[in-house]
């Protein structure tokens, strides 16, 4: 089970996500870092485990404001620069093509930001593309074709359950089972609700390849020893 730490960016800082209610997100307070500055938080997370990949939700870009380019640049300038999975709300072909050409960056096509399936069909075969199927409290957000047609899914698919984020209520196992059954041999990534090692082991038993995790890393529920043991079991 691969663990990928989450960095939610808003106003140039890392914020604590709360069930997809973005107006409530505030700069993170964590024992892993003295500040909410993005590199400080990333380094704090790497103090738990030498994570090679971070998932970035650029909330400003997703909501139509100026993207957090400076924060991303600082992350790319870290020692042993991480691979960045970035959802920046891209819905334009030219911008997405540019992102796909950026070294060490894997752009995330978030369903909530799409008007149709055209962009996904255009780039679905690109090895760096990641699809995020976004579920809010009121259900799937995005064109129904993105959810209904697994034949246009790329090799990596995130199941993003925003209502579970920061809620300590456990992953959405029924939905993950449903998506995994449709996904075939694709890599399915769980996002939202991971509480502890037991949740990760259950996800692994379902064939889920990875999980996006934040709260249980910052509050110490997942220990370095547990993270290491889970990483050792990854394919």
């Amino acid at each position: 089970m691969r663990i990928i730490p989450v960095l939610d960016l808003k106003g140039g800082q890392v914020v604590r996500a709360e069930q997809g209610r973005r107006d409530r997100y505030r700069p993170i307070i964590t024992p892993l870092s003295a500040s909410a500055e993005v590199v400080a938080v990333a380094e704090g997370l790497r103090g738990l485990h030498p994570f090679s990949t971070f998932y970035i939700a650029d909330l400003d870009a997703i909501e139509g404001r100026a993207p957090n380019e400076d924060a991303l640049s600082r992350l790319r300038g870290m020692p042993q620069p991480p691979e960045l999975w970035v959802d920046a709300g891209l819905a334009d072909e030219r911008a997405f093509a540019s992102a796909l050409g950026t070294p060490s960056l894997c752009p995330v096509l978030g369903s909530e930001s799409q008007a149709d399936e055209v962009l996904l069909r255009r780039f679905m075969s690109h090895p760096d593309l990641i699809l995020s199927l976004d579920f809010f409290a009121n259900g799937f957000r995005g064109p129904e074709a993105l959810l209904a047609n697994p034949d246009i899914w790329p090799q990596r698919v995130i199941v993003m359950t925003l209502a579970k984020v920061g809620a300590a209520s456990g992953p959405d196992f029924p939905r993950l089972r449903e998506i995994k059954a449709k996904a075939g041999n694709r890599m399915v990534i769980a996002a939202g609700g991971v509480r502890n090692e037991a949740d990760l082991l259950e996800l692994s038993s379902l064939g889920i390849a990875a999980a996006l995790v934040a709260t249980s890393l910052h509050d110490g529920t997942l220990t370095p020893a547990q993270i290491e043991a889970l990483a050792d079991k990854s394919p």
Side-chain angles (χ1 to χ4, degrees):
M1 169 58 60
R2 185 179 180 191
I3 298 171
I4 299 171
V6 174
L7 299 169
D8 290 300
L9 295 180
K10 186 175 182 180
Q13 294 183 300
V14 179
V15 296
R16 180 181 175 86
E18 184 182 340
Q19 298 175 288
R21 294 177 288 189
R22 293 168 179 156
D23 58 320
R24 301 187 181 188
Y25 291 12
R26 298 293 180 268
I28 195 167
I29 298 173
T30 170
L32 303 181
S33 171
S35 76
E37 193 275 326
V38 64
V39 171
V41 177
E43 288 177 341
L45 288 161
R46 278 187 164 179
L48 298 175
H49 183 79
F51 295 110
S52 61
T53 302
F54 290 92
Y55 170 89
I56 313 295
D58 187 339
L59 301 170
D60 291 310
I62 289 170
E63 295 184 337
R65 297 184 293 275
N68 285 275
E69 289 292 347
D70 184 60
L72 294 178
S73 178
R74 294 200 302 275
L75 287 170
R76 289 195 290 267
M78 292 177 68
Q80 297 181 315
E83 180 179 71
L84 303 178
W85 295 8
V86 181
D87 186 345
L90 296 180
D92 173 79
E93 180 173 342
R94 181 174 295 181
F96 214 89
S98 176
L100 285 167
T102 303
S104 300
L105 188 147
C106 295
V108 175
L109 189 150
S111 66
E112 69 162 303
S113 301
Q114 308 307 306
D116 51 43
E117 73 273 27
V118 171
L119 198 60
L120 179 57
R121 288 187 181 276
R122 167 70 176 82
F123 294 110
M124 65 183 190
S125 298
H126 197 290
D128 291 337
L129 174 66
I130 302 168
L131 170 65
S132 180
L133 299 173
D134 300 326
F135 296 87
F136 284 68
N138 59 353
F140 180 68
R141 188 168 297 182
E144 188 61 32
L146 269 64
L147 181 61
N149 297 320
D151 56 307
I152 63 174
W153 292 354
Q155 284 303 304
R156 291 179 288 184
V157 180
I158 296 169
V159 182
M160 177 69 71
T161 309
L162 272 299
K164 293 280 190 176
V165 171
S169 59
D172 190 344
F173 290 113
R175 179 169 286 138
L176 286 159
R177 289 189 188 95
E178 177 185 350
I179 299 298
K180 178 59 183 171
K182 294 179 179 179
N185 63 358
R186 295 173 179 85
M187 179 181 179
V188 176
I189 300 111
V194 171
R195 297 165 295 188
N196 49 38
E197 182 184 31
D199 281 344
L200 291 166
L201 291 171
E202 184 168 352
L203 289 171
S204 181
S205 74
L206 297 178
I208 304 302
L212 307 185
V213 181
T215 301
S216 56
L217 294 173
H218 291 285
D219 67 15
T221 306
L222 283 173
T223 68
Q226 290 172 334
I227 297 166
E228 184 67 28
L230 288 161
D232 286 344
K233 295 174 183 177
S234 298

